């Protein structure tokens, strides 16, 4: 679609989304009134900057359904975040939302080279996470064959890959590398598999990882981006040229702002990505602050798509870590540690990448009594912390108990996280 026609469509959809949200969601009525703005004030796309931002905290405060714009009877599916800091965020979809989502995923798959001839193995988790079900219905939409294997059980993944003739793999990039490692251990030649494309997302990865995955699995690997609050996967995707992810601009308006001042920045500038949904009925999002740092370019792409492209996010404006595809806030780990009476409030979170796998280690000081006690007590405390972290984060961690006063103290802002992965 030519840019001018696209912008006309965006404005039409923006105006109806803003009105839809304002008429139906008390949160939007309140914040619009505070800014003394009404849906009628949106006359051009430039007026978007006059609208207030929506934050993750707003969604959490309205847990679970407070920001839904339709009665629950019209919501046909919900997904939710794993429960990050405090409340999880719950997102809902009407039947039309699911239709639109499938269409966007169909674009992601098509841009990545998947056709109806393909056999697509989805090794994203199925469940509350948007990745599994999100990709699933897009695969069905293009008429390819979907294998809904879900995540984990690598031996079974490989067995299915071989026996079912998988040609396309969908998972996190780190899991793809892990599968490649296991294939090598089992002395399976990737050439003997039918794999030809891979669509990877849900966590940051580098160009180096891409070349690794491509050579070790014998696939063309593309990246795609999304977040549950605005839809899930399907916000943007790479085409075969792999020069940034095309944003589905008929469904989302992407802005780049200065994360400190909130001011909109011109195209081509690096800043925080802000997304406004243009078609969503159940949970319209106006100027949602993603916290992802990226750059958007309007330069034409060789593939012919007219959609703007965003770079892989280079970081976050908050302290969220993405470990094995799971969103982790250091404060969640801190909360766990504070509940364990044998620990001192001094800890370090260390994230490393060994081969393809992210490892999370938590070093925490214990009190003198525990430290001077026998090994048995130390082990019991470490196990207790490990189990709590696993149940809160859904992620295993190595817990190392250290002597009181042995961790480095910082002056000023404590630096409790060491992310030693080379992600950019
Ligand atoms: Zn392109």
């Amino acid at each position: 679609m030519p840019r001018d026609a696209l912008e006309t469509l965006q404005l039409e959809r923006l105006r109806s989304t803003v009105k839809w949200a304002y008429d139906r969601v008390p949160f939007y009525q309140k914040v619009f009134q505070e800014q003394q703005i009404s849906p009628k004030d949106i006359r051009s796309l430039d007026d978007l900057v006059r609208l207030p931002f929506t934050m993750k905290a707003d969604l959490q405060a309205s847990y679970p359904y407070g920001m839904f714009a339709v009665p629950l009877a019209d919501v046909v599916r919900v997904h939710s975040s794993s429960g990050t800091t405090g409340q999880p965020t719950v997102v809902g979809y009407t039947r039309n939302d699911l239709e639109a989502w499938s269409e966007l995923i169909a674009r992601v798959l098509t841009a990545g080279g998947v056709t109806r001839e393909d056999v697509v193995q989805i090794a994203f988790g199925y469940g509350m996470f948007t990745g599994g079900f999100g990709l699933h219905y897009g695969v069905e939409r293009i008429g390819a064959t979907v294998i809904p294997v879900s995540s984990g059980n690598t031996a079974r993944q490989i067995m299915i890959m071989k026996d079912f003739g998988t040609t396309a793999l969908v998972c996190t990039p780190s899991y793809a590398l892990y599968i490649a490692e296991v294939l090598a251990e089992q002395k399976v030649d990737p050439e003997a598999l039918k794999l030809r494309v891979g669509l990877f997302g849900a966590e940051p990865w580098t160009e180096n990882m891409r070349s690794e995955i491509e050579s070790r699995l014998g696939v063309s690997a593309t990246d795609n981006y999304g977040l549950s609050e605005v839809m899930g996967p399907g916000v943007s995707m790479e085409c075969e040229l792999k020069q940034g992810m095309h944003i589905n601009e008929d469904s989302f308006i992407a802005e780049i702002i200065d994360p400190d001042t909130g001011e909109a920045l011109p195209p081509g500038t690096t800043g925080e990505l802000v997304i406004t949904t243009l078609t969503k009925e159940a949970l319209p999002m106006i100027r949602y602050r993603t916290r992802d740092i990226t750059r958007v370019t309007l330069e034409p792409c060789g593939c012919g798509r007219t959609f703007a492209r965003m770079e892989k996010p280079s970081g976050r404006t908050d302290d969220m870590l993405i470990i094995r595809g799971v969103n982790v806030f250091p404060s969640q780990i801190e909360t766990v540690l504070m509940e364990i009476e044998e620990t001192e409030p001094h800890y370090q979170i260390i994230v490393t990448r060994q081969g393809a796998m992210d490892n999370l280690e938590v070093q925490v000081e214990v009190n003198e009594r525990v430290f001077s006690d026998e090994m048995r007590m130390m082990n019991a405390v470490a196990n207790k912390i490990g189990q709590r972290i696993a149940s809160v984060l859904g992620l295993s961690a190595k817990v190392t108990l250290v002597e009181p006063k042995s961790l480095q103290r910082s002056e000023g802002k404590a630096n409790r996280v060491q992310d030693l992965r080379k992600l950019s």
Side-chain angles (χ1 to χ4, degrees):
M1 185 181 265
R3 292 292 311 178
D4 53 352
L6 176 60
E7 284 172 15
T8 304
L9 178 67
Q10 283 187 317
L11 178 59
E12 189 185 299
R13 288 183 170 179
L14 174 65
R15 295 184 62 165
S16 66
T17 294
V18 168
K19 186 169 182 341
W20 179 270
Y22 183 85
D23 288 347
R24 291 170 173 79
V25 184
F27 166 81
Y28 284 116
Q29 260 161 39
K30 179 172 152 283
V31 293
F32 278 37
Q33 279 160 12
E34 278 165 10
Q35 303 255 339
Q36 299 183 331
I37 190 160
S38 93
K40 288 193 298 295
D41 297 322
I42 303 300
R43 295 187 196 90
S44 77
L45 289 177
D46 295 334
D47 291 326
L48 179 60
V49 299
R50 301 172 61 191
L51 297 173
F53 293 117
T54 306
M55 321 287 269
K56 190 183 187 83
D58 298 322
L59 262 172
Q60 289 170 323
S62 64
Y63 173 88
Y65 301 142
M67 280 178 73
F68 283 12
V70 297
L72 201 52
D74 293 336
V75 171
V76 295
R77 175 144 20 116
V78 292
H79 283 285
S80 135
S81 67
S82 54
T84 53
T85 42
Q87 297 285 12
T89 50
V90 178
V91 297
Y93 304 80
T94 64
R95 195 166 295 285
N96 286 338
D97 289 338
L98 290 183
E99 284 288 308
W101 193 14
S102 301
E103 182 62 31
L104 295 179
I105 298 296
R107 291 183 196 169
V108 171
L109 292 157
T110 304
V114 178
T115 73
R116 66 184 301 278
E117 307 293 326
D118 279 295
V119 177
V120 185
Q121 182 163 339
I122 298 183
F124 268 147
Y126 278 66
M128 297 305 261
F129 172 55
T130 49
F133 281 102
L135 265 295
H136 181 103
Y137 290 98
V139 176
E140 290 190 353
R141 172 65 63 98
I142 62 174
T145 308
V146 61
I147 307 176
V149 58
S150 196
S151 55
N153 197 343
T154 308
R156 181 157 165 261
Q157 300 278 356
I158 289 172
M159 184 268 286
I160 286 173
M161 214 172 266
K162 286 196 283 199
D163 297 352
F164 293 19
T166 301
T167 60
L169 176 64
V170 172
C171 60
T172 61
S174 57
Y175 193 52
L177 268 181
Y178 182 68
I179 291 175
E181 279 178 6
V182 178
L183 280 172
E185 277 165 26
Q186 296 185 354
K187 305 213 178 345
V188 178
D189 180 2
E191 293 291 309
L193 300 173
K194 291 190 174 156
L195 272 187
R196 50 174 215 91
V197 288
L199 287 96
F200 306 116
E203 67 183 15
W205 50 311
T206 59
E207 285 305 320
N208 283 343
M209 278 179 78
R210 189 205 305 269
S211 352
E212 280 278 286
I213 294 172
E214 292 193 326
S215 68
R216 297 176 73 169
L217 284 180
V219 295
S220 168
T222 53
D223 193 5
N224 64 84
Y225 171 89
L227 60 165
S228 65
E229 293 87 346
V230 304
M231 173 82 79
V235 173
S236 66
M237 70 279 170
E238 283 182 334
C239 63
E240 70 276 15
L241 297 173
K242 305 171 189 174
Q243 302 278 322
M245 295 178 277
H246 287 285
I247 301 162
N248 281 312
E249 290 178 283
D250 59 332
S251 307
F252 307 98
I253 295 180
E255 298 173 83
I256 295 291
I257 62 157
D258 179 324
D260 297 322
T261 64
E263 203 183 312
L265 298 173
T269 321
T270 299
E272 180 182 338
L273 178 68
V274 171
I275 291 179
T276 299
T277 64
L278 296 178
T279 64
K280 277 177 70 190
E281 293 177 342
L283 188 61
M285 276 288 130
I286 294 172
R287 302 195 84 201
Y288 184 75
R289 292 190 60 163
T290 67
R291 300 290 181 191
D292 284 318
I293 301 288
T294 185
R295 202 175 73 93
V296 172
T297 176
L298 277 165
E299 283 165 36
C301 179
C303 72
R305 286 176 181 81
T306 55
F307 287 153
R309 284 169 290 157
M310 58 177 272
E311 287 178 353
K312 284 177 185 298
S314 60
R316 307 248 328 150
T317 64
D318 58 18
D319 55 0
M320 188 179 88
L321 297 160
I322 303 180
I323 302 172
R324 281 176 247 149
V326 178
N327 296 350
V328 176
F329 286 90
S331 54
Q332 293 172 281
I333 295 174
E334 177 167 317
T335 306
V336 167
L337 296 176
M338 295 306 145
E339 286 165 2
I340 309 275
E341 59 173 311
E342 295 89 346
T343 61
E344 296 288 311
H346 298 286
Y347 63 94
Q348 275 279 309
I349 296 165
I350 301 162
V351 191
T352 53
R353 179 164 282 169
Q354 194 177 14
M357 284 302 279
D358 291 336
N359 291 314
L360 168 65
E361 180 183 357
V362 178
Q363 296 181 346
V364 58
E365 289 182 11
V366 286
N367 58 36
E368 290 287 358
R369 191 175 59 82
V370 175
F371 199 77
S372 53
D373 202 281
E374 53 189 298
M375 216 47 203
R376 193 178 45 81
M377 182 155 179
M378 292 273 280
N379 287 341
V381 172
N383 284 340
K384 182 160 73 174
I385 296 171
Q387 281 166 12
R388 271 302 285 158
I389 290 176
S391 82
V392 171
L393 300 179
L395 201 62
S396 62
K398 179 184 173 202
V399 177
T400 310
L401 303 184
V402 299
E403 207 175 332
K405 302 190 179 57
S406 64
L407 291 176
Q408 201 187 342
R409 302 297 195 258
S410 65
E411 294 166 12
K413 199 174 181 299
N415 186 14
R416 301 198 186 280
V417 180
Q418 290 184 53
D419 191 344
L420 305 174
R421 298 170 295 180
K422 295 196 170 44
L423 294 177
S424 54

